[in-house]
Amino acid sequence: MKSRIGILLMAVMLLFVACKRKEQHQFTHDLLLSMTPVKNQGKSELCWAYAMLATIETEHILRGDSVNLSAVYIGRRLSHYQQSIGHFSSSQRAMGMTLLNMISQEGVVGYDVLPDDASDDMPTPQWVFLLGARYTPQEFAHSVCAPDEYLAQTCWPDSPYYKKVEIDVPDNWEHNRLMNLPLDTLRKHVDNALRNRHPVCWESRGHAMAIVGVAHDEQGRAYYVMKNSWGTKGSYGGLVYMSVRKMWKDMIAVYLTREAYEGK
């Protein structure tokens, strides 16, 4: 009896392993942009900051520059920023536009001086030292991302197209307004941006990531390649392969440079 039970358990385990293996797709990259190392947001709710910073980082790499930016700094300055605009909340949730607004006011610093594993007693940098010069975080941020460099886009069918609309989701506590485009038009701009080697920041109601490529599986089905912020553990080293259908179904907002939007 014991041997039969052992055989049965072995068969169940083999079936489970086989099913898990079957779920793993083999992806071929049609396009994969250069990127900084995958970061880890840990238990924070700062995916919006990680995703937008990852987009900025890849954009700089493609220009022949190199920046690696600290989302921990953004997390530490979030309460100050919220208070400055009269918003009081214990939640860290926000949107990509919040990151753009924040670095304009609060600045940003390099990842090397305030990494993901920075302890609470590690001081928040007051200066950025670069090429023998000293800058405030705000001055450094302006060199990293110019005002109005990124465009915020959405598809909100209940509102007029080709006008800016406020996205009615809890994360938009700043009441930011995004350009509302028909889905086919927005998809065309995003796909053209990627083909012209520009990253795109993508947001859903629950998470945000940077789109850094396109791929297809063994059956020819198309996927967007996302740079996540949950570390490198897992089958794809921190990348997420999201089906085209799911990406657009879950999309709330995307952010891309003006050059990317214009297909340059």
Side-chain angles (χ1 to χ4, degrees), residues 45-113:
E45 298 178 293
L46 297 171
C47 62
W48 51 276
Y50 279 89
M52 195 69 239
L53 290 177
T55 304
I56 293 171
E57 290 165 357
T58 288
E59 187 70 38
H60 272 263
I61 291 173
L62 299 172
R63 297 174 186 174
D65 193 7
S66 179
V67 292
N68 196 8
L69 305 170
S70 172
V72 173
Y73 175 87
I74 300 299
R76 290 189 179 185
R77 300 298 300 175
L78 182 58
S79 293
H80 181 269
Y81 176 72
Q82 289 175 326
Q83 292 172 16
S84 73
I85 63 173
H87 177 79
F88 301 91
S89 173
S90 60
S91 173
Q92 290 182 313
R93 293 178 62 90
M95 297 184 72
M97 194 68 196
T98 305
L99 184 280
L100 298 172
N101 295 337
M102 272 197 69
I103 65 173
S104 180
Q105 177 174 313
E106 304 290 333
V108 72
V109 301
Y111 179 84
D112 57 335
V113 296

Side-chain angles (χ1 to χ4, degrees), residues 60 65-69 108-113 127-137 139-144:
H60 272 263
D65 193 7
S66 179
V67 292
N68 196 8
L69 305 170
V108 72
V109 301
Y111 179 84
D112 57 335
V113 296
W127 301 98
V128 175
F129 296 92
L130 183 65
L131 300 176
R134 187 179 74 170
Y135 304 91
T136 66
E139 290 171 335
F140 177 61
H142 292 159
S143 71
V144 166

Side-chain angles (χ1 to χ4, degrees), residues 6 15 31 34 43 54 58 70 77 106 134-135 137 150 155 173 175 180 217 220 222 232-233 242 244 249 258:
L15 180 61
L31 169 69
S34 299
K43 296 180 180 180
T58 288
S70 172
R77 300 298 300 175
E106 304 290 333
R134 187 179 74 170
Y135 304 91
Y150 281 81
C155 178
W173 40 263
H175 305 288
N180 191 26
D217 65 14
T232 57
K233 292 183 179 180
M242 185 177 293
V244 170
K249 177 177 177 293
R258 290 182 180 275

Side-chain angles (χ1 to χ4, degrees), residues 17-29:
V17 171
C19 289
K20 293 294 286 183
R21 287 177 178 172
K22 189 176 181 179
E23 292 173 1
Q24 296 295 324
H25 291 292
Q26 298 296 319
F27 294 106
T28 300
H29 291 145

